[in-house]
C-alpha cells in the first residue's frame, strides 16, 4: 500500500475512485478538511494531515529552506520530519540576526493568511534600542513613517515601552527589514530584535533557542 505519486492521485480522482467523507470527489483542487475520511477504491487511507510548527529561532540561522552556505531553520528540525513533509515552508521570515517565533507549515493557504499584506495579521517584536526612545519617536511609529526608498508610509504600529531602550512593537505588515528600517527612519537604531507573537500565537517560553513544537489545534485555528 505505497503512497501514490501526485499524477497517480490525480488520475484516481478523475476516475472517480476517491471518496471523501462519503462523497465522490472529482475535483483535484479541493482542500481536504482535517480529519476527513478518505477512501481509495473503497479502501480507507491514512491521510497525512498538514503540519504546523513553531520554532524559537536562534541568531545566525537564515529563514530559508535551503542554503548552501548557512544553517537554515529547516536544518534545526529532525530529518524524518523534513522527509515526511516535503512542502514544509516558513510562514513569515526573520533576518538571520533576529531571534524568536518562526512558524513553519505544509499548508500554503494558512501561511498565506499569516503573510499576506491584505490580511494584516499582527506581529509583535521586542526591540532593543541603541538610545532611549523619545515620545516623538513613539508618535511617529504609531502614526506611520516613510521608509528609505519606499513610496508609502508604514501602517500605524503599536508601541509599548518596557524600558527606555526596550520596546514592544506590533506591526501588521512585513516589508523587507521593516522593524529595523522603521526605527532608523524614526532616528533610533535596532540593537537586537526578537519576535514574540504572530496573531494570537505566542512564542512558548519552554522552547529553548533552536527548539520547536507542533502548534495546538487552537493555535492553528486562530489564524484565519
Ligand atoms: N523586521 C526586521 O527588520 N527584521 C526582521 O527579522 C523582522 C522584522
Amino acid at each position: 500500500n505505497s503512497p501514490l505519486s501526485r499524477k497517480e492521485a490525480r488520475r484516481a480522482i478523475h476516475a472517480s475512485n476517491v471518496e471523501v467523507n462519503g462523497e465522490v470527489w472529482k475535483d483535484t483542487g479541493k482542500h481536504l478538511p482535517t480529519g476527513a475520511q478518505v477512501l481509495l477504491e473503497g479502501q480507507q487511507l491514512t491521510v497525512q494531515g498538514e503540519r504546523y510548527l513553531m520554532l524559537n529561532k536562534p541568531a545566525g540561522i537564515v529563514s530559508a529552506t535551503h542554503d548552501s552556505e548557512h544553517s537554515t531553520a529547516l536544518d534545526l528540525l529532525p530529518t524524518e520530519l523534513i522527509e515526511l513533509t516535503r512542502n514544509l515552508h516558513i510562514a513569515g521570515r526573520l533576518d538571520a540576526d533576529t531571534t524568536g517565533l518562526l512558524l513553519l507549515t505544509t499548508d500554503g493557504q494558512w501561511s498565506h493568511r499569516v503573510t499576506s499584506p491584505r490580511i494584516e495579521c499582527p506581529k509583535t517584536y521586542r526591540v532593543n534600542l541603541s538610545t532611549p526612545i523619545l515620545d516623538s519617536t513613539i508618535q511617529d511609529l504609531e502614526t506611520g513613517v516613510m521608509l528609505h526608498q519606499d513610496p508609502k508610509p508604514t501602517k500605524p504600529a503599536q508601541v509599548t515601552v518596557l524600558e527606555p531602550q526596550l520596546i514592544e512593537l506590533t506591526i501588521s505588515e512585513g516589508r523587507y527589514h521593516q522593524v529595523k528600517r522603521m526605527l532608523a527612519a524614526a532616528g533610533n537604531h535596532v540593537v537586537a530584535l526578537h519576535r514574540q507573537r504572530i496573531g494570537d500565537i505566542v512564542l512558548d517560553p519552554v522552547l529553548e533557542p533552536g527548539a520547536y513544537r507542533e502548534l495546538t489545534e487552537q493555535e492553528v485555528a486562530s489564524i484565519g
Side-chain angles (χ1 to χ4, degrees):
N1 204 337
S2 58
L4 303 186
S5 66
R6 278 178 174 269
K7 194 163 154 192
E8 288 165 336
R10 254 196 310 271
R11 278 207 189 124
I13 292 168
H14 288 145
S16 309
N17 290 334
V18 174
E19 256 181 50
V20 176
N21 292 336
E23 210 184 288
V24 173
W25 262 23
K26 291 199 172 248
D27 181 357
T28 49
K30 255 169 130 166
H31 191 70
L32 195 64
T34 355
Q37 190 205 47
V38 183
L39 304 185
L40 171 64
E41 290 169 355
Q43 301 272 11
Q44 185 155 344
L45 297 184
T46 317
V47 177
Q48 221 203 306
E50 303 283 12
R51 303 292 290 265
Y52 306 86
L53 312 174
M54 71 160 75
L55 172 78
N56 184 1
K57 181 189 166 301
I61 295 286
V62 297
S63 292
T65 40
H66 305 287
D67 190 302
S68 47
E69 281 173 41
H70 305 96
S71 295
T72 73
L74 266 78
D75 293 335
L76 295 170
L77 305 175
T79 36
E80 313 89 76
L81 188 60
I82 307 295
E83 279 161 15
L84 267 174
T85 54
R86 285 178 188 280
N87 306 328
L88 198 66
H89 59 275
I90 294 164
R93 290 159 180 260
L94 291 174
D95 296 336
D97 58 354
T98 303
T99 57
L101 179 61
L102 198 63
L103 297 176
L104 296 118
T105 182
T106 53
D107 183 343
Q109 296 185 11
W110 191 85
S111 59
H112 177 75
R113 294 201 293 279
V114 173
T115 57
S116 163
R118 276 194 309 110
I119 296 176
E120 301 189 9
C121 173
K123 284 114 191 155
T124 301
Y125 295 86
R126 209 176 58 210
V127 192
N128 287 84
L129 300 168
S130 63
T131 54
I133 188 133
L134 305 176
D135 286 341
S136 59
T137 305
I138 299 173
Q139 253 176 29
D140 289 347
L141 295 171
E142 291 190 333
T143 313
V145 293
M146 294 301 293
L147 301 181
H148 186 57
Q149 293 194 328
D150 211 327
K152 274 203 218 154
T154 56
K155 297 217 171 95
Q158 284 86 51
V159 178
T160 308
V161 179
L162 304 175
E163 291 169 26
Q165 287 176 233
L166 180 63
I167 62 167
E168 260 181 12
L169 182 73
T170 301
I171 58 173
S172 54
E173 306 168 279
R175 302 193 213 174
Y176 184 63
H177 295 328
Q178 179 156 346
V179 175
K180 292 174 187 166
R181 289 165 72 213
M182 282 175 80
L183 268 302
N188 209 307
H189 179 75
V190 174
V191 174
L193 189 57
H194 179 83
R195 186 156 62 194
Q196 295 271 71
R197 184 183 183 113
I198 296 177
D200 285 335
I201 303 176
V202 180
L203 179 64
D204 192 326
V206 307
L207 293 178
E208 299 288 336
Y212 76 95
R213 72 157 167 82
E214 304 268 346
L215 296 188
T216 64
E217 271 185 34
Q218 287 95 316
E219 285 169 333
V220 174
S222 74
I223 299 287

